[in-house]
Amino acid sequence: MNNSQSNYWSTPIVNLFRSLQTNHDGLTEEQVKQRFSIYGFNRLKAKKRTDALTLVVSQFKSPIILILIFAAVLSFFLRDQIDAVIILSIVMISGLLGFWQEHGASRAIEKLLNIVQIKTTVMRDGKEHEIAAEQTVPGDIVVLSAGSIVPGDCVILESKDLFIDEASLTGETFPVEKIAGIVPENTPLANRSNCLFMGTHVVSGSAKAVIVHTGLHTEFGKISHELKLKPPENEFERGIKHFGYFLIEITLVLVVLIFAFNIFLHRPIMDSFLFTLALAVGLTPQLLPAIISINLSHGARQMAEQKVIVKRLTSIENFGSMNVLCSDKTGTLTQGKVQIKSAINIDGQRNEHVSLLAFLNASFESGFVNPIDEAIRQSYTFDLKVYQKLDEIPYDFIRKRLSILVRNENSVMMITKGALQHVLSICSKAETGDGSVVDIKNVQGKITQQYETLSASGFRTLGICYKPLNGETNISKDHEQDLIFAGFLTLFDPPKEGIVDAIQHMKTLGIQLKMITGDNKLVAKNVGEQVGLTSPRIVTGEELRQTSDHALIRLVRRTDIFAEVEPNQKERIILALKKAGMVVGYMGDGINDAPALHAADVGISVDGAVDVAKEAADIVLMDMNFNTLISGVQEGRKTFANTLKYVFMATSANFGNMFSMAGASLFLPFLPLLPKQILLTNLMTDFPEMTIASDNVDPELVEKPRRWNIKFIRRFMATFGLVSSLFDFLTFAILLIILQATPEQFRTGWFVESVISASIIVLVIRSRKPFFRSKPGILLQIATLLITAIVIVLPFTPMAPILGFVRLPLSFLVVIVCIIICYIMIAEIVKTYFYRKNHVS
């Protein structure tokens, strides 16, 4: 890096261009290819590798699997080559099965994420091109507008009324103004007014800038190792992790004891070691990460069909668990197509002068694109040829107003438009219906009455004011005082079609809607009642300011509408709801919604949102309506339900079988199953469970939000694991005492019973209903029947002697079938009792 690039903020643009070998037209495609090969993707952290080789290797990274492979290889050279090959083959097949599923899942998710990739506009070969932000390189000329995320550390080439939110980097609360120029070399980062930094975003205005640094070479990249770039664990991730640890702890204790007892009983060390390792493989939830990945990716694909794109897979659980949805009014509850009703004076009469002032203000505004100014420009037609824009004070979310300085043939005038109270606060006079100007105090009551009447009718009301400024060519915020109030601009945005039914449907799904809006409480109440919020409880931004954090936790639970809310209060509302025990979703698409989207349990945005909102969101809706949202919630709940099914399986039949085998090895004069048979059992019971992602879900599991409950799962494990073990020991007793089975017959009989029962019991525990009243998915049915058939036929095939199995007499098979039928019946009875006693939300 040469000196001009290391001190780029103090380097003339000509020298910087020369150093970066670029110009105002941007880079050529050939230059881009060369730089991309040098700098790579513009990321703060390497993208997780999901190529085939990485996924294959990841299937065998478990320490227990690695030790088992090592032991099998050692066994190959010391004694039984055939057994060693069989063990290695089963391990490989199991790993490849997991790879096949995960590979398909990772490819699907990659395609979905590409749909909602953050884009940026750059100059390439003199033309504007929209590309993925991660594909920008040093030397690119980037074009930015309100809502854009800055893709790298840049120097401004040109700007217009540019304000940047740098809170993510400097902690500065308010947006800072940026302009082209040069600052001294020793200027602190926060004062480099000519620079834009990666990770910040444009609040208002526009700019062109040249990218100097990308990725880890940016200011953000230099401190990235100190930052938590990975999102904090959500409840689902924590639950899965704790559950995995719980099973591993039990496994370690169990296998150590079993190995010690086998040595104490003077059994062959290698046989005991392989048996213990195989048992550990059966006990360890090694398939859990793959099953979760498969279920979540399948859920994401199903949600994509409903036009819901999942950016963070684990947010699916929170999406399904969500019981409070906070939403803005405009564009979500309403159509988002602002229409102008009228421009009126303080007497409530239509007024041409007010219309002209509003039109001039909207036409010359150059900040972020907004529907209000667009509606004004479409509603009125005035000749702009005689007017010239001189300056502008952009709209911001603190002042809530926009000022434009214009000149015509005779005079210079500042026109201000914005939220009524913020406009009235800078007015000292008012224009009456006959055109005369009076002290505003004399007509304050009339203005307030008009405002309340319009608001109660559901109209959003803006204030318009002006001030002659002859001789001025520039304005600042200091000029916003002693203005003349001209009148009102009234707007309306009708509720979306079908929104009342959609909100009612949300209520039946256990989701409470809370509206958060900057509009005044009268407008908010009117819209709230139109969309079905009967007699809503309303809290204003002023009341929020006067409420302590502790009191707010109680207040937010019973509040339906938050009106006149400042942008920074949205995050506070979300955090209070979370502290009140809610799982909170927040829907936002604006520049000031990012903090609330981050704070929510699940941030929801739309594809047309500004970059900063879409980047902060966990879920992106391709079609902005509540029915799409509801469909996504239902798919999220189905995915969560199917994920828990595997957890229930792993903690009941599978775990019960392995526990029984461990216990049996302590009193039997021979190993209950050979190591290769244990691994084969594990492989065959895994196969049906991999189809769980496509299983049908009972309607009652989608009717209300459900949350991860580790205590409930432990109770489930204790109950159904015990039932499984009891029937295992019953099988042992019948095989040994009644049927007088030989060791080979015992192993074959128990292998058949344990695999079939573990496969079929899935059909029982997958639903709270009796299994014959809940239809499983077609893939689960096929997999269960296929495994059952293979297990019955296997002892009669040429493979049987190699695997240590023998043909079973008909009497053995009849007894095994009877045991399995009894097991299913008892499991159904226990299930009914269990769910009656253990209610879970």
Side-chain angles (χ1 to χ4, degrees):
M1 183 189 299
N2 60 42
N3 192 56
S4 62
Q5 285 176 247
S6 60
N7 301 314
Y8 55 90
W9 56 91
S10 61
T11 303
I13 294 298
V14 174
N15 295 347
L16 195 59
F17 273 178
R18 188 182 303 117
S19 170
L20 292 167
Q21 297 180 353
T22 189
N23 55 54
H24 285 279
D25 290 334
L27 302 172
T28 65
E29 288 301 324
E30 187 60 35
Q31 286 178 305
V32 171
K33 289 178 183 178
Q34 293 174 355
R35 297 184 190 202
F36 201 70
S37 64
I38 296 171
Y39 299 104
F41 285 102
N42 180 16
R43 298 175 181 143
L44 290 181
K45 60 178 180 178
K47 191 175 182 180
K48 183 180 178 181
R49 293 188 64 186
T50 56
D51 57 88
L53 180 61
T54 303
L55 285 176
V56 168
V57 172
S58 70
Q59 306 303 315
F60 305 99
K61 64 183 181 182
S62 164
I64 295 176
I65 293 290
L66 293 175
I67 294 171
L68 179 61
I69 292 173
F70 172 77
V73 171
L74 184 64
S75 177
F76 180 87
F77 289 105
L78 293 180
R79 43 183 293 276
D80 193 342
Q81 287 86 356
I82 294 177
D83 274 10
V85 169
I86 292 172
I87 289 172
L88 290 173
S89 299
I90 294 172
V91 171
M92 292 299 170
I93 291 171
S94 180
L96 291 175
L97 184 62
F99 157 74
W100 173 63
Q101 292 278 1
E102 281 203 82
H103 185 30
S106 65
R107 295 281 79 79
I109 294 307
E110 201 169 299
K111 289 178 182 177
L112 292 178
L113 291 179
N114 285 336
I115 295 174
V116 291
Q117 208 170 33
I118 298 301
K119 306 283 188 179
T120 193
T121 302
V122 297
M123 300 294 296
R124 296 270 172 91
D125 292 318
K127 297 179 181 179
E128 289 188 4
H129 294 271
E130 190 176 62
I131 63 170
E134 64 179 22
Q135 293 178 347
T136 54
V137 294
D140 263 326
I141 307 300
V142 61
V143 181
L144 303 168
S145 58
S148 298
I149 290 178
V150 180
D153 287 359
C154 313
V155 171
I156 298 172
L157 302 178
E158 58 185 73
S159 66
K160 179 181 282 187
D161 306 312
L162 183 65
F163 282 79
I164 303 292
D165 185 338
E166 293 187 337
S168 60
L169 184 65
T170 65
E172 175 61 46
T173 304
F174 301 107
V176 293
E177 186 174 10
K178 297 284 186 172
I179 55 174
I182 299 175
V183 298
E185 186 177 330
N186 61 352
T187 303
L189 183 143
N191 295 335
R192 294 174 193 168
S193 58
N194 65 335
C195 294
L196 307 177
F197 302 104
M198 183 182 193
T200 62
H201 68 269
V202 182
V203 174
S204 63
S206 58
K208 274 189 178 181
V210 58
I211 297 179
V212 182
H213 297 302
T214 57
L216 293 173
H217 298 290
T218 62
E219 295 296 336
F220 217 105
K222 292 173 185 176
I223 60 171
S224 62
H225 64 282
E226 301 172 9
L227 303 174
K228 293 182 179 178
L229 294 177
K230 182 180 178 181
E233 282 185 330
N234 60 30
E235 185 181 10
F236 181 69
E237 291 171 312
R238 285 194 298 271
I240 288 292
K241 184 174 71 174
H242 293 158
F243 171 66
Y245 287 160
F246 171 66
L247 289 187
I248 289 171
E249 287 170 4
I250 295 175
T251 299
L252 289 175
V253 171
L254 206 56
V255 297
V256 169
L257 290 175
I258 296 303
F259 182 68
F261 270 103
N262 274 276
I263 296 301
F264 177 75
L265 296 172
H266 304 291
R267 290 174 181 162
I269 292 178
M270 184 55 72
D271 284 347
S272 299
F273 187 50
L274 284 171
F275 173 79
T276 306
L277 287 175
L279 199 61
V281 171
L283 285 167
T284 305
Q286 62 191 49
L287 200 63
L288 187 60
I291 290 290
I292 290 170
S293 175
I294 294 161
N295 278 347
L296 293 181
S297 63
H298 181 272
R301 280 180 285 182
Q302 293 298 111
M303 291 169 72
E305 292 180 6
Q306 307 295 333
K307 299 183 179 180
V308 179
I309 306 299
V310 180
K311 288 179 60 187
R312 184 184 177 194
L313 283 182
T314 52
S315 67
I316 290 177
E317 185 273 341
N318 278 346
F319 201 38
S321 302
M322 179 177 69
N323 55 17
V324 170
L325 175 65
C326 296
S327 173
D328 192 6
K329 171 179 69 66
T330 305
T332 51
L333 303 178
T334 63
Q335 293 179 10
K337 297 177 182 177
V338 178
Q339 300 175 45
I340 305 299
K341 179 180 183 291
S342 60
I344 59 177
N345 58 28
I346 62 174
D347 295 320
Q349 302 167 338
R350 292 181 181 272
N351 188 281
E352 188 79 1
H353 184 221
V354 177
S355 302
L356 173 63
L357 294 176
F359 183 76
L360 291 173
N361 181 281
S363 297
F364 288 122
E365 184 266 337
S366 62
F368 61 90
V369 178
N370 66 86
I372 293 177
D373 287 332
E374 183 64 28
I376 294 171
R377 291 191 288 266
Q378 291 180 359
S379 298
Y380 301 110
T381 304
F382 293 96
D383 186 4
L384 293 176
K385 292 180 181 177
V386 296
Y387 293 95
Q388 177 188 359
K389 177 184 174 181
L390 299 177
D391 201 8
E392 174 180 4
I393 308 173
Y395 180 92
D396 63 57
F397 296 100
I398 306 300
R399 292 165 42 253
K400 288 194 172 182
R401 54 182 179 256
L402 162 72
S403 294
I404 302 287
L405 186 66
V406 297
R407 178 170 57 196
N408 63 10
E409 297 173 350
N410 304 315
S411 63
V412 175
M413 175 173 54
M414 183 174 78
I415 306 169
T416 300
K417 173 181 93 273
L420 184 66
Q421 298 304 326
H422 290 256
V423 167
L424 289 174
S425 68
I426 59 173
C427 292
S428 59
K429 299 180 177 64
E431 192 176 87
T432 63
D434 60 8
S436 60
V437 176
V438 300
D439 192 304
I440 199 167
K441 294 178 182 177
N442 298 334
V443 291
Q444 190 70 53
K446 186 182 290 187
I447 293 172
T448 301
Q449 183 180 1
Q450 282 289 347
Y451 172 66
E452 291 178 351
T453 300
L454 291 167
S455 297
S457 300
F459 295 110
R460 184 175 178 184
T461 307
L462 301 182
I464 307 290
C465 61
Y466 67 98
K467 177 181 180 181
L469 284 175
N470 291 324
E472 297 284 352
T473 56
N474 299 98
I475 52 175
S476 67
K477 294 175 184 178
D478 293 335
H479 287 90
E480 290 184 332
Q481 55 183 333
D482 295 326
L483 276 79
I484 302 168
F485 183 75
F488 310 92
L489 186 69
T490 59
L491 314 97
F492 66 98
D493 183 9
K496 284 191 172 179
E497 188 175 347
I499 188 66
V500 176
D501 292 338
I503 291 175
Q504 187 58 43
H505 191 181
M506 281 178 51
K507 287 182 181 178
T508 63
L509 291 173
I511 302 173
Q512 181 184 2
L513 176 70
K514 294 184 183 292
M515 183 197 301
I516 302 179
T517 178
D519 286 344
N520 72 74
K521 64 180 181 180
L522 296 174
V523 172
K525 180 182 179 183
N526 182 279
V527 173
E529 290 175 341
Q530 286 187 63
V531 300
L533 298 178
T534 309
S535 302
R537 168 72 190 273
I538 303 173
V539 170
T540 65
E542 180 60 34
E543 292 172 308
L544 288 175
R545 279 190 289 274
Q546 297 173 7
T547 304
S548 68
D549 289 343
H550 183 72
L552 185 61
I553 294 172
R554 297 194 302 273
L555 181 65
V556 292
R557 295 180 68 97
R558 58 180 188 269
T559 302
D560 301 299
I561 298 174
F562 298 90
E564 302 169 24
V565 169
E566 301 289 343
N568 59 347
Q569 291 179 320
K570 294 180 181 180
E571 183 180 15
R572 188 177 175 220
I573 293 168
I574 301 299
L575 293 174
L577 284 165
K578 289 174 68 175
K579 289 176 182 176
M582 308 291 188
V583 179
V584 187
Y586 178 79
M587 185 184 298
D589 61 358
I591 296 168
N592 61 338
D593 286 320
L597 287 166
H598 275 298
D601 290 300
V602 54
I604 307 163
S605 193
V606 294
D607 190 43
V610 298
D611 288 348
V612 66
K614 199 157 66 168
E615 175 69 14
D618 301 304
I619 305 281
V620 177
L621 306 181
M622 304 304 289
D623 181 13
M624 183 51 255
N625 67 64
F626 270 79
N627 289 323
T628 298
L629 180 74
I630 289 168
S631 297
V633 168
Q634 290 173 321
E635 287 298 333
R637 291 182 182 178
K638 289 177 183 178
T639 301
F640 183 46
N642 280 338
T643 302
L644 284 183
K645 286 177 188 177
Y646 171 74
V647 173
F648 291 156
M649 293 166 199
T651 55
S652 55
N654 290 6
F655 196 87
N657 284 346
M658 294 301 135
F659 184 80
S660 303
M661 195 183 309
S665 69
L666 300 181
F667 66 82
L668 289 176
F670 54 86
L671 291 177
L673 283 182
L674 300 175
K676 58 189 174 185
Q677 294 168 343
I678 297 174
L679 295 174
L680 186 61
T681 300
N682 194 45
L683 173 64
M684 289 193 161
T685 53
D686 281 348
F687 189 74
E689 292 166 2
M690 279 195 163
T691 65
I692 286 299
S694 60
D695 188 28
N696 298 329
V697 175
D698 294 338
E700 58 266 27
L701 296 179
V702 184
E703 287 175 353
K704 60 180 180 178
R706 300 183 189 280
R707 304 177 72 169
W708 178 266
N709 189 334
I710 192 71
K711 291 181 180 178
F712 178 84
I713 292 171
R714 283 174 179 166
R715 291 195 295 269
F716 192 98
M717 173 182 174
T719 303
F720 287 90
L722 178 62
V723 172
S724 176
S725 290
L726 286 174
F727 272 89
D728 286 336
F729 285 113
L730 175 63
T731 304
F732 298 161
I734 292 173
L735 287 172
L736 290 172
I737 300 170
I738 298 176
L739 298 177
Q740 298 290 309
T742 65
E744 291 75 17
Q745 288 176 327
F746 178 91
R747 290 167 181 152
T748 306
W750 192 45
F751 170 79
V752 172
E753 187 276 337
S754 63
V755 174
I756 293 177
S757 63
S759 300
I760 293 180
I761 201 65
V762 169
L763 305 179
V764 175
I765 62 178
R766 58 172 290 277
S767 171
R768 299 184 185 187
K769 298 177 180 178
F771 75 92
F772 50 85
R773 290 185 181 172
S774 177
K775 184 179 179 181
I778 187 67
L779 290 179
L780 179 57
Q781 293 181 54
I782 293 171
T784 303
L785 291 173
L786 182 63
I787 289 299
T788 301
I790 290 173
V791 170
I792 292 173
V793 172
L794 187 59
F796 300 92
T797 66
M799 284 293 295
I802 299 173
L803 293 169
F805 296 133
V806 295
R807 295 189 179 192
L808 292 175
L810 182 60
S811 58
F812 276 62
L813 293 174
V814 170
V815 168
I816 289 170
V817 169
C818 292
I819 291 172
I820 292 171
I821 292 172
C822 290
Y823 178 34
I824 293 170
M825 292 173 62
I826 295 299
E828 276 291 349
I829 295 170
V830 170
K831 182 176 71 174
T832 302
Y833 174 78
F834 178 83
Y835 280 115
R836 189 179 298 157
K837 186 176 180 180
N838 296 278
H839 297 286
V840 60
S841 61

Tab-separated table of all heavy atoms in Angstrom, residues 436-462:
chain	number	residue	atom	x	y	z
A	436	SER	N	-53.841	37.790	4.596
A	436	SER	CA	-53.135	38.646	5.556
A	436	SER	C	-52.316	37.802	6.521
A	436	SER	O	-52.599	36.618	6.732
A	436	SER	CB	-54.136	39.503	6.337
A	436	SER	OG	-55.039	38.665	7.042
A	437	VAL	N	-51.278	38.423	7.079
A	437	VAL	CA	-50.389	37.716	7.997
A	437	VAL	C	-50.617	38.241	9.409
A	437	VAL	O	-50.580	39.460	9.646
A	437	VAL	CB	-48.909	37.903	7.585
A	437	VAL	CG1	-47.980	37.247	8.610
A	437	VAL	CG2	-48.672	37.319	6.204
A	438	VAL	N	-50.862	37.320	10.364
A	438	VAL	CA	-51.144	37.699	11.746
A	438	VAL	C	-50.214	36.942	12.690
A	438	VAL	O	-49.557	35.975	12.295
A	438	VAL	CB	-52.615	37.396	12.114
A	438	VAL	CG1	-53.566	38.165	11.215
A	438	VAL	CG2	-52.883	35.891	12.010
A	439	ASP	N	-50.166	37.372	13.929
A	439	ASP	CA	-49.400	36.662	14.945
A	439	ASP	C	-50.025	35.272	15.140
A	439	ASP	O	-51.246	35.144	15.274
A	439	ASP	CB	-49.437	37.438	16.263
A	439	ASP	CG	-48.422	36.901	17.267
A	439	ASP	OD1	-48.475	35.678	17.563
A	439	ASP	OD2	-47.585	37.677	17.748
A	440	ILE	N	-49.201	34.252	15.144
A	440	ILE	CA	-49.712	32.877	15.200
A	440	ILE	C	-50.462	32.585	16.485
A	440	ILE	O	-51.351	31.710	16.511
A	440	ILE	CB	-48.560	31.866	14.990
A	440	ILE	CG1	-49.143	30.497	14.582
A	440	ILE	CG2	-47.688	31.744	16.237
A	440	ILE	CD1	-48.108	29.525	14.061
A	441	LYS	N	-50.147	33.337	17.542
A	441	LYS	CA	-50.847	33.112	18.806
A	441	LYS	C	-52.342	33.409	18.682
A	441	LYS	O	-53.162	32.798	19.377
A	441	LYS	CB	-50.231	33.982	19.907
A	441	LYS	CG	-48.796	33.596	20.260
A	441	LYS	CD	-48.233	34.525	21.330
A	441	LYS	CE	-46.784	34.168	21.638
A	441	LYS	NZ	-46.188	35.109	22.642
A	442	ASN	N	-52.685	34.340	17.769
A	442	ASN	CA	-54.081	34.729	17.617
A	442	ASN	C	-54.921	33.656	16.923
A	442	ASN	O	-56.169	33.696	17.008
A	442	ASN	CB	-54.179	36.034	16.812
A	442	ASN	CG	-53.490	37.188	17.516
A	442	ASN	OD1	-53.366	37.196	18.748
A	442	ASN	ND2	-53.029	38.175	16.752
A	443	VAL	N	-54.264	32.739	16.200
A	443	VAL	CA	-55.018	31.712	15.458
A	443	VAL	C	-54.626	30.296	15.901
A	443	VAL	O	-54.946	29.323	15.219
A	443	VAL	CB	-54.807	31.863	13.930
A	443	VAL	CG1	-55.470	33.130	13.420
A	443	VAL	CG2	-53.320	31.851	13.592
A	444	GLN	N	-53.924	30.203	17.011
A	444	GLN	CA	-53.456	28.896	17.483
A	444	GLN	C	-54.611	27.929	17.722
A	444	GLN	O	-54.554	26.748	17.364
A	444	GLN	CB	-52.654	29.065	18.782
A	444	GLN	CG	-51.922	27.813	19.223
A	444	GLN	CD	-50.747	27.473	18.318
A	444	GLN	OE1	-49.890	28.304	18.077
A	444	GLN	NE2	-50.716	26.254	17.798
A	445	GLY	N	-55.697	28.419	18.285
A	445	GLY	CA	-56.857	27.558	18.557
A	445	GLY	C	-57.481	27.038	17.280
A	445	GLY	O	-57.883	25.870	17.196
A	446	LYS	N	-57.557	27.911	16.254
A	446	LYS	CA	-58.131	27.501	14.970
A	446	LYS	C	-57.270	26.427	14.308
A	446	LYS	O	-57.789	25.458	13.740
A	446	LYS	CB	-58.246	28.725	14.064
A	446	LYS	CG	-58.954	28.451	12.743
A	446	LYS	CD	-58.996	29.697	11.865
A	446	LYS	CE	-59.934	30.742	12.458
A	446	LYS	NZ	-60.104	31.890	11.529
A	447	ILE	N	-55.944	26.599	14.375
A	447	ILE	CA	-55.018	25.621	13.784
A	447	ILE	C	-55.148	24.267	14.482
A	447	ILE	O	-55.238	23.217	13.839
A	447	ILE	CB	-53.560	26.132	13.875
A	447	ILE	CG1	-53.380	27.349	12.975
A	447	ILE	CG2	-52.565	25.034	13.493
A	447	ILE	CD1	-52.026	28.038	13.151
A	448	THR	N	-55.215	24.297	15.812
A	448	THR	CA	-55.326	23.052	16.588
A	448	THR	C	-56.631	22.338	16.286
A	448	THR	O	-56.664	21.105	16.136
A	448	THR	CB	-55.232	23.365	18.096
A	448	THR	OG1	-53.984	24.014	18.363
A	448	THR	CG2	-55.336	22.094	18.917
A	449	GLN	N	-57.723	23.114	16.168
A	449	GLN	CA	-59.023	22.517	15.892
A	449	GLN	C	-59.042	21.846	14.513
A	449	GLN	O	-59.550	20.730	14.352
A	449	GLN	CB	-60.112	23.590	15.957
A	449	GLN	CG	-61.521	23.022	15.740
A	449	GLN	CD	-62.580	24.109	15.802
A	449	GLN	OE1	-62.273	25.272	15.983
A	449	GLN	NE2	-63.835	23.709	15.643
A	450	GLN	N	-58.463	22.535	13.517
A	450	GLN	CA	-58.392	21.949	12.176
A	450	GLN	C	-57.579	20.654	12.189
A	450	GLN	O	-57.966	19.645	11.579
A	450	GLN	CB	-57.736	22.940	11.200
A	450	GLN	CG	-58.632	24.056	10.720
A	450	GLN	CD	-59.707	23.556	9.768
A	450	GLN	OE1	-59.672	22.437	9.270
A	450	GLN	NE2	-60.722	24.387	9.541
A	451	TYR	N	-56.474	20.689	12.889
A	451	TYR	CA	-55.577	19.519	12.962
A	451	TYR	C	-56.282	18.321	13.599
A	451	TYR	O	-56.222	17.199	13.081
A	451	TYR	CB	-54.332	19.903	13.765
A	451	TYR	CG	-53.403	18.758	14.088
A	451	TYR	CD1	-52.725	18.082	13.086
A	451	TYR	CD2	-53.185	18.377	15.415
A	451	TYR	CE1	-51.858	17.041	13.377
A	451	TYR	CE2	-52.321	17.339	15.719
A	451	TYR	CZ	-51.660	16.676	14.707
A	451	TYR	OH	-50.805	15.650	14.996
A	452	GLU	N	-56.974	18.555	14.702
A	452	GLU	CA	-57.652	17.461	15.396
A	452	GLU	C	-58.808	16.903	14.566
A	452	GLU	O	-59.037	15.683	14.545
A	452	GLU	CB	-58.159	17.953	16.765
A	452	GLU	CG	-57.025	18.234	17.746
A	452	GLU	CD	-57.527	18.763	19.076
A	452	GLU	OE1	-58.747	19.079	19.168
A	452	GLU	OE2	-56.714	18.875	20.015
A	453	THR	N	-59.520	17.780	13.858
A	453	THR	CA	-60.632	17.327	13.013
A	453	THR	C	-60.118	16.450	11.880
A	453	THR	O	-60.681	15.384	11.587
A	453	THR	CB	-61.386	18.539	12.434
A	453	THR	OG1	-61.899	19.339	13.505
A	453	THR	CG2	-62.539	18.083	11.541
A	454	LEU	N	-59.052	16.909	11.229
A	454	LEU	CA	-58.470	16.145	10.111
A	454	LEU	C	-57.898	14.813	10.603
A	454	LEU	O	-58.088	13.775	9.969
A	454	LEU	CB	-57.371	16.970	9.436
A	454	LEU	CG	-57.840	18.209	8.664
A	454	LEU	CD1	-56.651	19.109	8.326
A	454	LEU	CD2	-58.580	17.806	7.390
A	455	SER	N	-57.203	14.849	11.734
A	455	SER	CA	-56.581	13.632	12.276
A	455	SER	C	-57.628	12.610	12.687
A	455	SER	O	-57.484	11.411	12.430
A	455	SER	CB	-55.685	13.983	13.472
A	455	SER	OG	-54.624	14.810	13.071
A	456	ALA	N	-58.690	13.074	13.316
A	456	ALA	CA	-59.744	12.161	13.762
A	456	ALA	C	-60.431	11.493	12.578
A	456	ALA	O	-60.999	10.404	12.714
A	456	ALA	CB	-60.763	12.913	14.605
A	457	SER	N	-60.363	12.130	11.415
A	457	SER	CA	-60.940	11.546	10.202
A	457	SER	C	-59.974	10.603	9.507
A	457	SER	O	-60.285	10.062	8.442
A	457	SER	CB	-61.353	12.669	9.234
A	457	SER	OG	-62.304	13.520	9.831
A	458	GLY	N	-58.789	10.447	10.076
A	458	GLY	CA	-57.807	9.506	9.536
A	458	GLY	C	-56.832	10.108	8.552
A	458	GLY	O	-56.066	9.382	7.908
A	459	PHE	N	-56.837	11.433	8.425
A	459	PHE	CA	-55.923	12.066	7.477
A	459	PHE	C	-54.602	12.414	8.157
A	459	PHE	O	-54.582	12.981	9.247
A	459	PHE	CB	-56.536	13.339	6.885
A	459	PHE	CG	-57.748	13.084	6.039
A	459	PHE	CD1	-59.008	13.473	6.466
A	459	PHE	CD2	-57.633	12.439	4.816
A	459	PHE	CE1	-60.135	13.228	5.691
A	459	PHE	CE2	-58.741	12.192	4.035
A	459	PHE	CZ	-60.000	12.575	4.475
A	460	ARG	N	-53.516	12.084	7.491
A	460	ARG	CA	-52.208	12.531	7.968
A	460	ARG	C	-52.035	13.984	7.543
A	460	ARG	O	-52.333	14.344	6.397
A	460	ARG	CB	-51.105	11.667	7.357
A	460	ARG	CG	-49.728	11.997	7.880
A	460	ARG	CD	-48.690	11.046	7.335
A	460	ARG	NE	-47.366	11.399	7.818
A	460	ARG	CZ	-46.253	10.784	7.444
A	460	ARG	NH1	-46.314	9.771	6.598
A	460	ARG	NH2	-45.087	11.159	7.927
A	461	THR	N	-51.551	14.799	8.439
A	461	THR	CA	-51.501	16.238	8.191
A	461	THR	C	-50.086	16.773	8.329
A	461	THR	O	-49.444	16.576	9.364
A	461	THR	CB	-52.429	16.981	9.175
A	461	THR	OG1	-53.735	16.411	9.104
A	461	THR	CG2	-52.505	18.459	8.835
A	462	LEU	N	-49.608	17.436	7.274
A	462	LEU	CA	-48.305	18.094	7.304
A	462	LEU	C	-48.509	19.602	7.362
A	462	LEU	O	-49.541	20.120	6.911
A	462	LEU	CB	-47.488	17.741	6.059
A	462	LEU	CG	-47.184	16.263	5.805
A	462	LEU	CD1	-46.333	16.112	4.555
A	462	LEU	CD2	-46.485	15.632	7.005
